[in-house]
Amino acid sequence: MPQVSNKGRQMPESPIRKLVPYAEMAKKKGHKVYHLNIGQPDIKTPEVALEAIKNNSIKILEYSHSAGFESYRTKLAAYYTNHGVNVNTQDIIITTGGSEALLFALGSTMDAGDEIIIPEPFYANYNGFSVASGVKVVPVISTIDEGFALPPIADFEKLITPKTKAILICNPGNPTGYLYTQEEIQQLAQLVKKHDLFLIADEVYREFTYDGDKHYSVMNVEGIEENAIMIDSVSKRYSMCGARIGCIVSKNKDVMATAMKFAQARLSPPTFAQIASEAALETPMSYFDEVIGEYKERRDTLISELNKIEGVKVATPKGAFYCIAKLPVDNADNFAQWLLESYDLNGETVMVAPAAGFYSTPNVGLDEIRIAYVLKKEDLIRSVEILADAIEKYKAR
């Protein structure tokens, strides 16, 4: 019998999606499931983006340029410049989601067997993208006690080997919600400059910052123009996860010329989704003010409710719309499955993402979960009520 590849065997399951069959079974029993497990916003997509598709008179759905529509890249460059990130049209390649942008970044900077240092916990798919690219993830652990701040630079430096090619960060972070300070970004910038590494920054949550804190992009740092690669996406900014439009941005001409070869090999990003994404750039600032105000209220509600549960520890996120909560259970994987398979409170339960899948270090984060606060406040309050009752019953089994 033919065998699947070793690479395929090593591909990790998504910790966010692997519990889906249990959620489907719970729903078949008639249980209501509150989805705290996935960052699918319930915010409406801007009308201007949807109208651009509805009112389009395309007769032939053609390929676009492999780098994406020039008109879109030009407007996107202007958007970034307005946000203090000075780039031009040639510094941008449109991709099929931020995921493809990350794959292009890894493919353009690393060979099989090379190493990438990532502060963990990190977006679970970084593990998958690295396996697919034949790249070894070298984790540097950040902790809930420190609010998931950047680990000391000395911790990074001692992990650098001749195989190290890049450092990857998510800012603000998924799954932690941590927003790196300007000082932390500058420390990383000095490190990659000193060791001649790439600094890849996944900045898809850049708009989602709270408490007056500002996002500081790697593209803002002078002196690392050749080192810096930014990953972005429309998914969260405009609540357009299904559009699958992202981009890779860098002033390093060799990196962009190499990424272009990968872009040509996959032909082009989706046409209709680019039309919607280009139109979305016309979204008024009032949309973001309202959305960010709503997420801040949700964050405050969630953290306040979680802090009421005995034995739960949570780090207050400064950005994005996720947090990591440490639970008084031995194994969050088993607990998350039990929530869906064997538990309900008056016909209701919750679905969470076990956090161990956001680490690459074995046996770390076993008692942690990621919560996405993408539900309205009333649903978040109810979800935490259910979680509190479930923890009590789980421990009493």
Side-chain angles (χ1 to χ4, degrees):
M1 179 176 166
Q3 299 293 306
V4 300
S5 65
N6 285 329
K7 182 189 283 187
R9 289 185 202 284
Q10 288 163 11
M11 274 296 285
E13 272 189 304
S14 166
I16 307 161
R17 295 175 182 265
K18 70 181 181 182
L19 292 167
V20 167
Y22 298 103
E24 288 168 345
M25 284 193 292
K27 288 172 187 175
K28 280 178 184 168
K29 289 182 196 170
H31 295 167
K32 178 173 181 175
V33 178
Y34 289 94
H35 285 273
L36 302 176
N37 62 303
I38 194 162
Q40 170 57 63
D42 64 351
I43 304 293
K44 284 188 176 173
T45 302
E47 199 60 37
V48 66
L50 299 175
E51 287 298 324
I53 298 173
K54 289 176 193 169
N55 299 333
N56 206 281
S57 57
I58 285 178
K59 297 287 188 288
I60 301 171
L61 202 55
E62 297 177 327
Y63 291 121
S64 78
H65 190 288
S66 292
F69 296 154
E70 186 174 5
S71 58
Y72 178 32
R73 288 183 288 126
T74 300
K75 288 177 189 170
L76 197 52
Y79 168 86
Y80 287 131
T81 301
N82 288 338
H83 285 74
V85 176
N86 190 20
V87 295
N88 62 43
T89 309
Q90 287 66 47
D91 301 328
I92 302 170
I93 292 174
I94 305 302
T95 57
T96 308
S99 301
E100 187 176 69
L102 272 162
L103 285 166
F104 285 2
L106 293 175
S108 300
T109 61
M110 311 190 81
D111 291 311
D114 283 342
E115 297 173 357
I116 186 165
I117 299 174
I118 316 178
E120 61 178 1
F122 52 71
Y123 176 47
N125 281 334
Y126 294 166
N127 275 326
F129 299 146
S130 299
V131 169
S133 304
V135 169
K136 182 186 176 187
V137 170
V138 177
V140 54
I141 297 180
S142 63
T143 66
I144 196 166
D145 293 326
E146 297 293 327
F148 298 109
L150 188 76
I153 287 296
D155 289 2
F156 284 86
E157 199 145 29
K158 67 187 179 192
L159 297 173
I160 294 172
T161 74
K163 288 278 190 185
T164 308
K165 292 294 169 66
I167 293 171
L168 168 60
I169 59 169
C170 185
N171 185 32
N174 173 7
T176 63
Y178 186 78
L179 178 69
Y180 291 109
T181 64
Q182 181 171 342
E183 185 188 359
E184 287 172 325
I185 297 295
Q186 291 284 4
Q187 287 175 347
L188 286 172
Q190 289 166 16
L191 185 68
V192 298
K193 187 87 173 160
K194 176 181 175 183
H195 293 278
D196 214 17
L197 306 174
F198 290 102
L199 179 56
I200 304 170
D202 181 345
E203 299 186 358
V204 305
Y205 299 97
R206 64 164 57 244
E207 270 75 16
F208 302 98
T209 64
Y210 315 113
D211 310 320
D213 290 326
K214 300 288 184 203
H215 177 265
Y216 190 71
S217 173
V218 295
M219 302 302 290
N220 290 124
V221 187
E222 286 185 19
I224 62 160
E225 290 80 6
E226 298 301 309
N227 309 73
I229 300 171
M230 182 176 83
I231 307 299
D232 206 355
S233 166
V234 303
S235 291
K236 315 300 177 173
R237 178 173 302 134
Y238 304 112
S239 195
M240 287 170 59
C241 295
R244 307 314 307 133
I245 292 290
C247 61
I248 177 171
V249 183
S250 181
K251 290 186 169 296
N252 184 311
K253 300 264 186 277
D254 284 347
V255 166
M256 295 308 285
T258 306
M260 188 59 184
K261 291 190 278 188
F262 287 96
Q264 289 168 342
R266 65 81 165 100
L267 304 182
S268 68
T271 296
F272 268 130
Q274 284 186 84
I275 291 167
S277 300
E278 185 173 331
L281 289 169
E282 306 299 323
T283 303
M285 197 60 218
S286 57
Y287 172 89
F288 296 107
D289 293 340
E290 193 177 320
V291 168
I292 290 160
E294 175 66 23
Y295 276 126
K296 183 184 183 304
E297 285 184 27
R298 291 178 180 188
R299 179 202 67 171
D300 293 346
T301 299
L302 176 68
I303 299 302
S304 169
E305 295 300 310
L306 285 171
N307 280 329
K308 293 175 186 174
I309 307 176
E310 190 180 341
V312 168
K313 179 188 277 190
V314 62
T316 302
K318 298 179 177 184
F321 36 70
Y322 306 100
C323 70
I324 292 280
K326 196 178 188 73
L327 305 182
V329 300
D330 289 339
N331 189 300
D333 260 298
N334 294 344
F335 175 64
Q337 185 174 325
W338 175 85
L339 278 170
L340 298 167
E341 202 173 29
S342 309
Y343 168 84
D344 71 282
L345 181 61
N346 300 324
E348 296 183 322
T349 190
V350 293
M351 187 174 182
V352 297
F358 296 92
Y359 292 85
S360 64
T361 303
N363 302 317
V364 176
L366 294 178
D367 57 354
E368 295 174 359
I369 58 171
R370 185 194 75 169
I371 295 176
Y373 46 95
V374 292
L375 306 179
K376 60 188 182 195
K377 291 185 287 290
E378 299 81 357
D379 288 349
L380 287 173
I381 291 168
R382 180 60 181 153
S383 297
V384 179
E385 279 176 6
I386 294 166
L387 196 60
D389 180 78
I391 289 169
E392 206 174 290
K393 289 195 168 74
Y394 188 75
K395 287 166 70 178
R397 287 175 313 148

